[in-house]
Every structure is written in C-alpha cells, then in structure tokens.
Amino acid sequence: MDRHIPSNLDREPNSPSGWKGLQPSQINAALGVSCIQRPVASLCRTFLLSKKPKLGLKSPLRELLLLRFSSSTSNLDACIRLRLRLRRELAAAPAMSIFEYNGSAVVAMVGKNCFAIASDRRLGVQLQTVATDFQRVFKIHDKLYIGLSGLATDAQTLYQRLVFRHKLYQLREERDMKPQTFASLVSALLYEKRFGPYFCQPVIAGLGEDNEPFICTMDCIGAKELAKDFVVSGTASESLYGACESMYKPNMEPEELFETISQALQSSVDRDCLSGWGGFVLLVTPTEVKECVIKGRMD
C-alpha cells in the first residue's frame, strides 16, 4: 500500500489541500490512528446519538466519532483536524506512574508499647483486578515487620533480599536486628540501586529496646521519614493521611489501636479505585502477635 504522506502534514494540519486524493487507510497510517471495526463503529455511533454520553459538546473525541462514522465525504477535512487535535491532547495527558500499576495501601500506627501495620489485599493491573488475597506485609522476626507498596514484583524481590541480609546478620551477631538497624539496612539497599531502583515504598514497624515502638517509611531510593504516630504509603496515601489525622490518638491501648487502624484503612481504600478488597491488619505487643483479615467492599 502506498504510504506517501504530503510534506505539509505537520506544518499545515488545517489545510485540506495536502490531503486530497488520500485514502482513509493512508490517513489513518499517517496519523497513527487505527480504524475501528465496523460493528464497534456502529455501536459507538448509536450510543453517541441516542444515549447522549457525558462528553462535552466541544469534546474532540465526540466530534471525531460523529464525523468518522458519517456517510458524507465532505467531513473529511474536519475529521482530520479533530484527529490531530485529539492526538495532541492525548500526548499531553499525564502518564501513569509505575508505582500505581498494581495499586496498594499500607499504613503503620503506634500505640502504647505496641504497634499495628495494615495493608489492602488487592492486586491489580491498573483498573483490572487480578487477585484479592495479595500479601504486602511481611515478617522479618517476631517484633519486626515490613510493608511494601508499589510494584508487586519488585516488592517480592526486595523482600527476598531483605530476608537474606537479615539471616546473614543473625548468623554473624547471633541476635535479631533492631528496627532502627533494619531501617538503615533497607535504606542502604535501596540507595545502592538508585540509578535503577526498586519501585517500592517500604513501611517498617517494630518494637525496639524496652518495647518502644518504632515506625518509619522511605521512598524508592531510601530517604527515610521517621514518625511518632503513623506512616502511610501507596496509591491511597492521601486519603490515609486524612483518615489517620482525624482518628489517631496517642498512647492507645492495643484494642483501640486495632480498631483505629482498621477503620482508617477501610475508609481510605473506599476512596481509591486502585486498592481495596478488604484488608490485612497485624497488631504486635510485647507478648503476642494478632493477625486479622477484615472484610471490605468487594468492588
């Protein structure tokens, strides 16, 4: 097929002179727009004309569909202009962050000589849900846990490397790693890969000396953020901040802390379409570890 395109295509997109004599398939090839199959085109046209979708009257996509499926050939130039306009608008649209690809929500909160860490259970590919029992909170030892939001494959790889490093530390030191030391280890490990980072945002929670709770989070290259109340990460982090700010109280007892973090997680993931499908809550005290799966909206 002849794919010759006039030289003034980009310089004068509104000029119809350069487009005369071209077949629709050649125009599609020039603009990078593939033809829609005929049954789909018919459905689109019927939907646009009868259902009046919520597309503005000046929407280039609506105008393009109406003109593209019109039987009149006099609309060719208008269709070409609208395609160029639509292509420019799509090119200017913000790209999706890789941290949002699978969706996630992780939060850790401090109580009186205890802490809780929670995450959602959804694993998705953008808006498509793949699994509803995905694990994001991992055990390092009985009093130390890490939650990994971000890209699911990187989270699993990073967890395996952290377990390897911690086991080496146990063999050498014959003791478990303190939460502060483990946070420094995670930060150093992430910074090593700063030019090709793991797309994860860790949340670390543990009990240190004298059962003092410790929580922190960091970005994908290991910049630590310490807190005395709560830390969050994931696609639902904005709503988690708001919920935790309104619900958190210092020196909460374990039962109250469990209820608070559960309610904060549930109310936050309901406002984020990339996370949800229930949650996993883990409450750690000096004497016991309580794990619970909470039910939420399954949509």
Side-chain angles (χ1 to χ4, degrees), residues 267-280:
S267 62
S268 300
V269 298
D270 285 348
R271 291 164 174 81
D272 178 39
C273 63
L274 297 177
S275 59
W277 284 84
F280 174 77

Side-chain angles (χ1 to χ4, degrees), residues 108 110 117 145-147 179-180 182-184 186-187 201-206 214-218 223-228 230-232:
V110 167
I117 183 169
Y145 291 80
I146 182 171
Q180 295 85 347
F182 183 73
S184 299
V186 176
S187 178
Q201 295 174 323
V203 170
I204 300 168
F214 171 86
I215 57 172
C216 82
T217 185
M218 58 191 72
K224 288 191 291 186
E225 177 186 350
L226 305 177
K228 296 295 184 181
F230 58 85
V231 291
V232 304

Side-chain angles (χ1 to χ4, degrees), residues 67-103:
L67 290 173
R68 177 66 182 85
F69 307 134
S70 174
S71 57
S72 173
T73 57
S74 61
N75 291 323
L76 177 61
D77 296 330
C79 183
I80 292 169
R81 288 193 291 270
L82 284 169
R83 283 188 176 182
L84 288 170
R85 177 182 162 194
L86 179 61
R87 190 179 179 188
R88 286 194 297 269
E89 290 188 5
L90 291 176
M96 179 207 72
S97 168
I98 190 61
F99 293 95
E100 301 173 357
Y101 185 72
N102 297 121

Side-chain angles (χ1 to χ4, degrees), residues 154 189-199 220-221:
D154 278 4
L189 184 62
L190 291 174
Y191 192 70
E192 285 178 5
K193 303 289 185 179
R194 62 191 178 278
F195 298 117
Y198 294 107
F199 297 114
C220 64
I221 58 171

Side-chain angles (χ1 to χ4, degrees), residues 224-282:
K224 288 191 291 186
E225 177 186 350
L226 305 177
K228 296 295 184 181
D229 44 12
F230 58 85
V231 291
V232 304
S233 71
T235 56
S237 58
E238 292 183 2
S239 54
L240 276 169
Y241 269 121
C244 292
E245 286 282 1
S246 61
M247 297 181 184
Y248 176 79
K249 295 187 298 184
N251 296 321
M252 287 186 288
E253 295 296 331
E255 293 79 9
E256 187 180 7
L257 177 62
F258 177 83
E259 185 67 23
T260 300
I261 197 171
S262 300
Q263 293 292 340
L265 178 69
Q266 288 289 73
S267 62
S268 300
V269 298
D270 285 348
R271 291 164 174 81
D272 178 39
C273 63
L274 297 177
S275 59
W277 284 84
F280 174 77
V281 182
L282 195 143

